[in-house]
Amino acid sequence: MKDCSSPWTRRSFLAATLASFLPGKLAASNQAATVFQHRGYYLCFMRMPTFGLKVWREILDAVAEDGGNTVVLWMAGAFRSRKFPITWQWASDHANVKRDFGRDLIRHAHRRGIRILLGFTPFGYDGTNQVPLEKPHLKATGADGKPVASFGIGCWGWNLCPAQPESQAFMRDYIREMAFEFYPEADGLFIESSDYGICQCSRCGPRFFEQEFAFVREISNEVWNRRSEATVVVYPHYFSGARLRFAFAEATAAKQPFDPRWTLFFTPHSAALEPSLIARARSAWWWNEAPCRFDIANVRAGAQKARDSRCGGYLPSLECYSYVVSQTEFGEPWLVGKRQVPFGFGWLKEGENPYRTLPLRAIRLVYRELTGNPDLPDPELQARLGRRLFGAAWNRTHIEDLLTLFRIFNTDRDWSVPGALTTPGLVKDRADHGRLDAQRRATLRGQLAEVQSMAQRHRNPSRAEARELGRIAQWLVDQWPPEAQRILVG
Ligand SMILES: [Zn+2]
């Protein structure tokens, strides 16, 4: 049977080739057969310090292969700000802080038909949350009336109180510097409202998002004054008046006038879909974490939800981390002081690109196919995966083994916590502290048996891709010498 995805591939290749002949501007969007105008990924550039320009160019090439035309590149904290050096001291080992290649990267994106949106959080998260190291009086206030505790993923610090004029001035100057001085060729901003540490001081509290909005309104105007077609992505919290419940905080959305030039961003954990706002926006995009969790069912669910909600884009996370953990994150003290291993793929060298490994090629194909047709039946999706990854001689076992690896890499996983079977030291630490019950031990014993037989099965296959299945399985087996396996007994 003919490979059904080949017409798509030809169109995509043509678009990418055309784009490569027209440097200096966005030549052509990647012409994927898709229900979405905007396709691509949310990538935490700031938390991937080990990747230099070469790897980042490869990552954008991969996005183009996937039919992507838009990337959220979360930049704050990871460029060498001249005005606010405190924002990148935590990331002094970041390749872009050491040698600023962001502009080259944006040029490369444009050659590949990809628009780059610079990501940051107003008054919080990476970069911004370092400001209180120099200006502790700008810390947000918690529900108990005291300054908020530090928090972070990779970059630990404190949210700012947006009611303080000094905080507003910092945000304006910092983002102006990023967007207008460092990366003026970027295609716009991605303004990610904080889901943590909402300031509860007497001037914020229920009016927090009004305070945040003052900055968002002003920087949006400045961006559009410079380039009217620029994309500015915002969260719905400024317009709906809804009561918001985050994992870490509660707040009330503001009720400010909506400018139809904004693109809206919705997420399962912090921003519920709002049809009346979507109808008025330039575009609306849905996000979830499914691709970076190797979760095919939720890539499908995300694409269907985005389509059914009339979103013009589905831009899920495909982020991985490679920073050194400075404090206990997600309840795992064992990881402190260690460098994050992207996706838990410990067979890669530090700084090596994980996005071309078999599991990533597979989940990227899933994204490409399901943004093309969110209702593509599972057997057909698996057949396409089989043909593209393992060649004409693919069989059910290849797909079953791939799905087994997906499950293993996502077992007991969290944002900065790798899949359990990849990291025996972490599992031992859980066992030592009474956090490895009999069921978890049994699960891991079962997974170890699965990768042992998988490694045997694909020891000498003819196709390189199936050899990669065997190599990954063997790497997992090798992490568990007999003395390590004793953790799993009992
Ligand atoms: Zn405040």
Side-chain angles (χ1 to χ4, degrees), residues 19 55 109 255 269 300 303 328 352 396 461:
V55 167
K255 226 170 164 42
H269 66 293
R300 179 190 295 287
T328 296
E352 197 174 346
R396 292 283 326 149

Side-chain angles (χ1 to χ4, degrees), residues 139-141 160-164 199-205 208 211:
K139 280 181 193 173
T141 299
L160 309 185
C161 167
Q164 300 203 40
C199 187
Q200 304 289 337
C201 80
S202 58
R203 283 176 294 172
C204 294
F208 173 86
Q211 306 283 7

Side-chain angles (χ1 to χ4, degrees), residues 160-220:
L160 309 185
C161 167
Q164 300 203 40
E166 219 178 329
S167 299
Q168 293 274 343
F170 162 76
M171 279 317 304
R172 280 196 305 271
D173 290 346
Y174 184 52
I175 299 309
R176 280 174 183 155
E177 185 188 26
M178 177 178 78
F180 306 143
E181 294 177 34
F182 272 75
Y183 309 117
E185 292 90 357
D187 301 281
L189 294 180
F190 175 85
I191 306 177
E192 180 172 358
S193 278
S194 183
D195 55 4
Y196 174 80
I198 306 299
C199 187
Q200 304 289 337
C201 80
S202 58
R203 283 176 294 172
C204 294
R207 302 188 59 195
F208 173 86
F209 284 110
E210 287 177 39
Q211 306 283 7
E212 184 175 295
F213 182 76
F215 158 74
V216 171
R217 175 75 261 186
E218 190 172 353
I219 196 76
S220 299

